[in-house]
Amino acid sequence: MGKSSFWRTSLIMAVLIGTVRTEENVYVKKGNIESSLETIHEVAITSLGYLCLTEQFKYLTVPLDPLRFESTRQKADLAAALLQDLGVAHHNGLQDSISKNLIVSDKTVLSTRVLVINASTGSLVNCAWWQKQGLDIGEPRKITDIGMEVGSRPNSNYPWYEDADSSPGVRSPKFVESPPNVAYKGWWTYPYYSCSNKRWLISYSVPIPPPGRRGLKGFLSLDVDVSHLEINQCEVKDNKRLDNEISIFHGSHKCHNSTECSYKQTLNGVPWTRGKYQCVCRAGFFSPYHNGIFNGTLVEEAWSELVENRSTSWKTVFQCRKCAPGCHFCTDLSPCLATYHWPFRIALLTFSIICVVWTIALNVYMFKHRKLKVFKVASPIFLSITLFGCATMYLEMAAIFPILDQYSCIATKWSRHLGFCVTYTALLMKTWRVSLTYRVKSAHKVKLTDKQLLQWMVPILLVMLIYLGTWTFSDTPNAEDIVDNENLRFKQCVYNWWDHSLAIGEVLFLAWGIRVCYSVRNAESLYNEARLISYAIYNIAIVNIMMIAFHLFIFPRAGPDIKYLLGFIRTQLSTSTTIALVFGPKIIRVLRGQGDQWDNRARSRGVTASFSLNGIGLVPEEPQDLFQENEELKEEIQKLAAQIEFMKIVHMESNNRHVKPKIGGYFSALNAPNVVQSPLAKQGYNLSQPSKPPEEL
């Protein structure tokens, strides 16, 4: 074996040995804590019984933190140094003064003593012992009867006394080791119960060596009352630790993992007692016993019985049961979450996905036949934008399909509002163009091209994109728990002022669209498109208002499946109806072979392509139809000539009052008996009736 292998093996063995020793130390520490808790429990229930008849002291095997009594230790070291410098042979009055003043100056010190012992024989020479009166904080008194006579040796059973027979190099088991990196002149004892004082104490003892090898050596000790300290067996939460707690007992409770330890601070009881806590069922757990709150003393007894194989009540009675899935708090196994009927939801989602595919296929079909008049005069680019918005609105059903979370809510907001904005804006721009054309009274045509309408449409979409983007990054939509009619919880996207503000804006947008549609109610257009778009916009407004009413007033606490069904109905009534109204008649004409023919009924009513769609039918890649332009100009000239002739006749007859009207004459259609008939009608002058001027909006 090489040197490298040898050192590697040695290192591994050292690590393993260190690990085993660490585990042993932890085990011993836990064992000491358990034995100390048993002692504390025994003292608490038998201190007035047989315990004090057989023993005067009861020790613990765990130390207290001596740093909390640092000022007391420093006083003892200072007094020991003073007595060493002055000597302890003939200064009994000085011993009494030091002992008394130590007690008076420090409220935590219960008693103090100075023993003077012969360094060679170990016999007691004299002592000064002062103790507070009784169990109350009061003036100290000197104790004379301490069970030690002059010339005898101190009883080695006293916790504060180190037996002289023990080796100087071996520490007495009654004393604890000093804290790391700290050197004390004396030693602190383990905590112990004093039957004479009926208190828990710790003692600090410091030797007073003689000046030479021979002589009298001194021994100073003091007892500190620690009965006021609290034994908190629960874990420390958020580093919040009381000053009067004993840290060594933290985490020594016997609560099951399904419960949480809750400390009960002592008010008028005994601070030093085991099981001074409650085991409370954690969130998501319940117990049919004791309302899920167990007394720590009973839990400690049940744990002891479990260790001794005498009972299993700790596992059955003091263990909480897990609630039904999704329950934060419960008292039984009743469900807390609403049930999702996935086959039903999958069926609705499948139909919505089919609608998306159909919308994309329809867009491809329209692009393929874009040169047909039925599509060409209706602006193929706006038809494509409309179909894109409809497909986006269909995708909302996929966003709200799963159990909602943050990402689902983001997708829901974007698909719903962006799809609505794209679809509705595209339809509204086309209707607005018809409205502007319809209101023009001059012979000069007002032409608004697709490019100009897109310039108006882009800012509207840009505002929506900025709003949704700001919403997503600044206050990301998330899901919250709500309850249905059966108080079952499920997830729903949060509705806040972002939703309300956007809803107000969309309502105002809908109101403007309805006004525009109302203004073109009497307008005639090729293929009756203006009226069909108006119907689609009316339908979108009515469906959204009805669905809001359903959600707020009829089904305010509906379950997740009902809400999903309402979303499906809203999507189909608004989106599918829009596609059917706008694209249905066009597809039917194409299938019948009439897609490249003009709408004869509209042309017979005097509707031209230029008036109906503002000249957008003249696609740039086609040459201008001069014959069509001449026909339109002739129509306009005939209308103007008829209007001029009409005005001439009116002025002539208004200046010739003697001319009487004739039934069946020019003005008989007006049903006005006092109006004078045109004299030209008697001569057989035949004039076509002029068209009624467009109504001014």
Side-chain angles (χ1 to χ4, degrees), residues 256-268:
H256 191 266
N257 293 335
S258 60
T259 60
E260 186 176 7
C261 182
S262 176
Y263 175 61
K264 298 187 300 182
Q265 192 171 1
T266 303
L267 297 178
N268 297 320

Side-chain angles (χ1 to χ4, degrees), residues 408-605:
S408 299
C409 290
I410 294 174
T412 300
K413 306 297 183 183
W414 277 80
S415 59
R416 176 183 302 170
H417 297 292
L418 185 60
F420 166 79
C421 184
V422 171
T423 303
Y424 188 76
T425 305
L427 295 176
L428 187 57
M429 289 293 104
K430 289 165 61 66
T431 309
W432 184 56
R433 175 163 57 187
V434 175
S435 173
L436 292 179
T437 306
Y438 185 65
R439 289 184 294 178
V440 173
K441 299 180 181 179
S442 63
H444 178 69
K445 292 188 297 182
V446 177
K447 289 189 177 182
L448 289 176
T449 62
D450 290 346
K451 183 177 181 181
Q452 291 173 321
L453 286 183
L454 287 175
Q455 291 175 351
W456 283 94
M457 183 177 178
V458 168
I460 298 176
L461 298 180
L462 187 61
V463 169
M464 178 61 72
L465 291 174
I466 293 175
Y467 188 91
L468 292 175
T470 305
W471 185 1
T472 302
F473 290 105
S474 64
D475 188 10
T476 305
N478 211 333
E480 63 177 351
D481 287 332
I482 63 172
V483 295
D484 59 8
N485 295 321
E486 299 178 357
N487 290 324
L488 300 178
R489 291 186 298 105
F490 65 96
K491 293 288 187 179
Q492 177 177 280
C493 296
V494 176
Y495 287 90
N496 50 26
W497 67 271
W498 288 92
D499 297 90
H500 303 325
S501 301
L502 190 55
I504 293 173
E506 290 177 348
V507 168
L508 296 177
F509 199 28
L510 280 171
W512 180 50
I514 293 174
R515 181 182 180 277
V516 172
C517 292
Y518 183 78
S519 66
V520 298
R521 66 190 183 279
N522 295 323
E524 297 290 346
S525 59
L526 289 174
Y527 308 109
N528 206 21
E529 188 180 35
R531 184 169 299 175
L532 294 176
I533 291 178
S534 298
Y535 290 160
I537 292 177
Y538 291 148
N539 175 73
I540 292 174
I542 294 173
V543 168
N544 282 275
I545 293 174
M546 289 179 57
M547 288 298 107
I548 291 175
F550 270 96
H551 279 287
L552 295 181
F553 303 108
I554 301 179
F555 300 110
R557 299 184 63 184
D561 294 326
I562 299 297
K563 288 187 177 293
Y564 193 72
L565 177 61
L566 292 177
F568 176 79
I569 294 174
R570 179 183 59 81
T571 302
Q572 294 300 321
L573 289 180
S574 60
T575 308
S576 299
T577 305
T578 299
I579 294 176
L581 289 173
V582 176
F583 295 91
K586 296 179 176 57
I587 298 298
I588 293 175
R589 289 185 67 90
V590 174
L591 294 178
R592 290 178 178 177
Q594 302 174 357
D596 207 25
Q597 298 178 7
W598 291 109
D599 187 1
N600 294 327
R601 289 181 298 177
R603 296 298 294 270
S604 65
R605 293 191 294 267

